[in-house]
Amino acid sequence: MTPSQELILVVDDDPTTCALTTTVLKREGYRTRYCTNGKDAIALVASEPVSLVLLDVMMPGMDGFEVCAALRATERGQRLPIILLTGRDDVDTRLEGMQSGVSEFLTKPVTRHELIARVRAQLHIVALTRQLEAVERTLKQSTTPSATPDR
């Protein structure tokens, strides 16, 4: 997919952070949406084909770990790349993130270059996974015995 086909969801309770992050992503050609809470993020992922989620940890209501775990519990969210954005850079935060199903971590403040590099890398992994699955389906179909008997 080209960047213009990818929808990136930014989830952060700080509207300024959402605005800055979406501006950087739009300049790279990505479509963006943002939510300022976890409940709205989960609803949006359920209703739209989101390609990747950038998720803040510290939010009122549901924190980023809870949002990630809730997304992973849905069919659409099982394989969705989720990048956790956090000001906390400690082992416990990373472990909790991994347990909730986070794909990648970015520590705030994030540079534009690192943000774009991590987003591209995660989307590339998704594209490669889809290609691999297509090859596996083709191989499986080619090795399935035909319905007609041998002569």
Side-chain angles (χ1 to χ4, degrees), residues 85-113:
L85 297 168
T86 178
R88 298 168 29 193
D89 192 23
D90 59 277
V91 173
D92 290 338
T93 298
R94 290 186 178 274
L95 287 173
E96 190 170 356
M98 287 187 280
Q99 291 168 348
S100 68
V102 166
S103 308
E104 181 68 84
F105 292 90
L106 278 172
T107 304
K108 294 179 183 178
V110 179
T111 68
R112 177 179 65 84
H113 298 293

Side-chain angles (χ1 to χ4, degrees), residues 10-38:
V10 178
V11 186
D12 197 307
D13 61 319
D14 178 10
T16 302
T17 300
C18 288
L20 291 171
T21 305
T22 57
T23 298
V24 168
L25 294 166
K26 285 178 181 179
R27 285 184 184 154
E28 294 296 318
Y30 295 103
R31 294 181 308 122
T32 63
R33 295 282 306 269
Y34 75 86
C35 297
T36 56
N37 65 70

Side-chain angles (χ1 to χ4, degrees), residues 50-119:
V50 173
S51 301
L52 182 140
V53 176
L54 292 167
L55 179 61
D56 184 28
V57 173
M58 309 264 299
M59 296 186 295
M62 296 178 79
D63 66 24
F65 305 122
E66 294 169 314
V67 174
C68 184
L71 289 172
R72 291 292 186 231
T74 67
E75 187 175 337
R76 279 192 175 180
Q78 288 175 0
R79 296 170 57 194
L80 180 66
I82 300 172
I83 300 176
L84 196 67
L85 297 168
T86 178
R88 298 168 29 193
D89 192 23
D90 59 277
V91 173
D92 290 338
T93 298
R94 290 186 178 274
L95 287 173
E96 190 170 356
M98 287 187 280
Q99 291 168 348
S100 68
V102 166
S103 308
E104 181 68 84
F105 292 90
L106 278 172
T107 304
K108 294 179 183 178
V110 179
T111 68
R112 177 179 65 84
H113 298 293
E114 184 178 16
L115 174 67
I116 295 305
R118 298 285 177 102
V119 165

